[in-house]
Structure formats: structure tokens, C-alpha cells
Amino acid sequence: MSRGAISNQTIRLIGLMKDCGVSLVFLDEFQHFIDRDSAKVLKTVSDWLKDLILDTKVPMVLIGLPEAETVFQFNPQLSRRFANRHNLSPFEWSVDAGKEFRTFLHAVESQLPLLKPSDLASEEMALRFYYASDGIVAYVMKLVRYGAHLALKQGKEKLDLNVLAIAFDKYVKADKPTKHNPFLTDEFMEDSQENLTFFKPAQVGATNSRIKPKKKTKKVSDVLHK
């Protein structure tokens, strides 16, 4: 594509953003900026983004994998415009006995277009979700989104283990081939996670309460079969 074509498209993009009243831009998969043939091309593309920010005066949020940081090494001026950076790590059950993870599930469920509560933040369901996702938000959302799609399609009033089991096989299993389907069977409690211990999850929604580890912890199997 010629420079003229790029310039024309950029002008059209700027005009479209103004006409639509765009006030914030999210640029996802930012790490793809490094999927270029040379450092020269990467510098050119990052300069284009910097100029777009200056021309539109619209704030942008860049989202990507850790390797996206490489882009800023080629363009210090762009790096300075994105000095406020945050890392979104997977949830860790052992840190707070699953409280934060269950609170997240509760927030996700509050947005579901289903008639009855699915109790995603319940102790048992949260453990199943955590095992399936390893605390990674992307996997949780794949399970919930496809599960909700199936529930609506089948006329169900809530997410149940059947639709979540199908969602796991379709969107998670390929990346985690050694895992049992935790929505289909309890066998996952006997595999490599057997040595992983959890403290009893705190009440979701509780405030100003510190999680105090008990002297004796419970295994996943103990929790689910109490």
C-alpha cells in the first residue's frame, strides 16, 4: 500500500472519529505491533499511532501481552505517552482463599441475560471455574459467554453444569488437554491438582475482613464433598 493511500485512510479515520464523537479508543492485541518484518517498519507504525493520538487528541488504552513492551523500545516518544501501565495477572486462589475470584464471578453473573441465578460465585462452582481457567479471565469469559449462548438457545433459565461442560470442551480443552472437564465429572479432584490446597472461601461481598489461614487446610475434594 502506498504512502498516499495510508495518508488518505488516516485522514478518513480521523474524520470518522470526530464525526462519531469518539472519546476513548481501546486497541486490543497490541503485541501484534511487533509482528513486523523489520525494526524500521515497527518504528513507522508506532510513529503513525503517536501521530494519530496527537491529531485526534483522543485518549487510547493499549491492551496486549507482555511482549508488547518491545514496541516502546523502538519509540520513546510513544512510550512516554503510555507511562501508566498495569499488569493483569491471573487470579490466585491461595492469596485470599478465592475471595477476589468469587467476587469477579458474582460481577460477571450480574450481567447475564438469564431469568434465574446461576450461583457462579458459590463455593463449589467457583472451584470448578478456577480449575478450568487457572484463574485466567479469558477462559472464564469463554465459558460464560458460550454457556450463556447455549442456555438461551436451549431455553434454560440459568447456566448449569451441562452447558458449561460443553463450553469447556469447545473453548478450553484444546489449550488444556490434560485437564478433566470439571463441569462433567469430579475426577479433576484426583489429578495433579490433588496436592493444591485451599482455605475455605470467605463470604462474597464481605468488607474489611482479613483472610486468616486455618491451621489445617482443605483439599479441593474435601471442600466439594463436605
Side-chain angles (χ1 to χ4, degrees):
M1 182 179 292
S2 66
R3 290 181 58 86
I6 294 176
S7 298
N8 290 336
Q9 289 187 359
T10 301
I11 292 173
R12 290 169 58 191
L13 174 61
I14 294 173
L16 185 61
M17 290 175 65
K18 291 181 179 179
D19 291 342
C20 294
V22 175
S23 58
L24 179 65
V25 173
F26 285 87
L27 186 57
D28 199 4
E29 303 290 351
F30 185 61
Q31 72 275 2
H32 290 314
F33 263 56
I34 67 176
D35 296 337
R36 305 293 174 179
D37 295 331
S38 67
K40 181 179 179 180
V41 174
L42 178 58
K43 180 66 166 56
T44 299
V45 175
S46 60
D47 278 338
W48 174 86
L49 178 60
K50 179 197 68 177
D51 292 339
L52 181 65
I53 296 171
L54 291 174
D55 292 338
T56 61
K57 295 181 174 57
V58 173
M60 295 190 181
V61 178
L62 307 182
I63 304 172
L65 298 176
E67 53 263 33
E69 289 280 347
T70 305
V71 176
F72 300 126
Q73 298 176 11
F74 287 89
N75 198 319
Q77 291 182 329
L78 182 66
S79 179
R80 287 195 293 272
R81 285 172 170 76
F82 292 95
N84 189 9
R85 303 171 194 172
H86 298 277
N87 293 321
L88 182 61
S89 302
F91 288 100
E92 294 186 23
W93 191 287
S94 60
V95 171
D96 60 358
K99 179 181 177 181
E100 186 179 29
F101 185 65
R102 293 178 67 201
T103 301
F104 169 68
L105 289 176
H106 178 75
V108 170
E109 182 177 339
S110 69
Q111 302 300 313
L112 292 179
L114 299 173
L115 297 177
K116 293 184 178 180
S118 303
D119 296 326
L120 301 187
S122 67
E123 187 172 83
E124 178 177 335
M125 190 69 86
L127 285 170
R128 294 181 188 278
F129 264 94
Y130 188 80
Y131 171 82
S133 66
D134 291 321
I136 299 174
V137 171
Y139 289 117
V140 172
M141 297 311 298
K142 286 177 184 293
L143 292 168
V144 172
R145 285 171 178 152
Y146 192 66
H149 166 74
L150 290 178
L152 292 171
K153 184 178 180 179
Q154 297 174 14
K156 294 179 180 291
E157 296 182 326
K158 65 177 183 178
L159 293 180
D160 59 23
L161 293 178
N162 291 330
V163 295
L164 291 171
I166 295 173
F168 178 87
D169 285 339
K170 184 175 179 65
Y171 285 107
V172 180
K173 184 66 175 178
D175 289 342
K176 304 176 183 296
T178 62
K179 284 183 178 286
H180 296 290
N181 188 326
F183 306 106
L184 189 63
T185 175
D186 288 348
E187 290 183 13
F188 75 92
M189 296 181 291
E190 306 301 331
D191 69 0
S192 60
Q193 296 293 319
E194 186 176 5
N195 294 323
L196 182 62
T197 58
F198 298 97
F199 300 128
K200 182 180 176 67
Q203 179 69 30
V204 174
T207 58
N208 298 324
S209 59
R210 299 183 62 183
I211 307 299
K212 297 181 179 180
K214 297 181 179 180
K215 293 182 179 180
K216 183 179 181 181
T217 59
K218 297 182 179 182
K219 293 182 179 180
V220 177
S221 56
D222 296 328
V223 173
L224 291 182
H225 290 293
K226 65 177 184 178

